[in-house]
Amino acid sequence: IMYEISQRLGQPHVPRNRIPGFTAGTFSVGYFANLDCLGLGPEGLFYLGRHACYPTQSLVRWLKDRARVVEKNAPRRREA
């Protein structure tokens, strides 16, 4: 899936304001800004004018590191 994302982007960098569009709203611009302030965002942040950008491969790697597979019929934990 991550390879498909990088191919779909088809550019060497991704502006921060485009991230919500290609992640179907999963991540917001503000979330990435906050992560960057904490030093937890994708590596290689740079600015083109006033636009924060990430190298595409770095962003895809960041997304891949946070993805997890959920088993279809895994039992759910019940809260007490």
Side-chain angles (χ1 to χ4, degrees), residues 25-62:
T26 302
F27 299 105
S28 70
V29 173
Y31 178 70
F32 271 86
N34 289 337
L35 287 175
D36 290 332
C37 285
L38 296 171
L40 301 174
E43 292 182 11
L45 171 69
F46 65 97
Y47 286 84
L48 286 175
R50 293 173 36 183
H51 298 278
C53 300
Y54 304 97
T56 300
Q57 294 304 317
S58 177
L59 178 60
V60 170
R61 193 175 322 111
W62 186 90

Side-chain angles (χ1 to χ4, degrees), residues 1-79:
I1 293 174
M2 298 304 167
Y3 177 76
E4 292 173 14
I5 289 173
S6 66
Q7 293 301 310
R8 187 169 39 144
L9 290 171
Q11 55 190 6
H13 65 277
V14 180
R16 186 190 286 156
N17 63 1
R18 292 209 40 225
I19 292 173
F22 80 83
T23 62
T26 302
F27 299 105
S28 70
V29 173
Y31 178 70
F32 271 86
N34 289 337
L35 287 175
D36 290 332
C37 285
L38 296 171
L40 301 174
E43 292 182 11
L45 171 69
F46 65 97
Y47 286 84
L48 286 175
R50 293 173 36 183
H51 298 278
C53 300
Y54 304 97
T56 300
Q57 294 304 317
S58 177
L59 178 60
V60 170
R61 193 175 322 111
W62 186 90
L63 291 168
K64 182 179 177 184
D65 289 346
R66 279 146 188 81
R68 63 186 174 97
V69 176
V70 178
E71 293 181 30
K72 187 173 183 177
N73 293 320
R76 292 185 174 183
R77 290 191 297 169
R78 292 187 174 214
E79 301 282 331

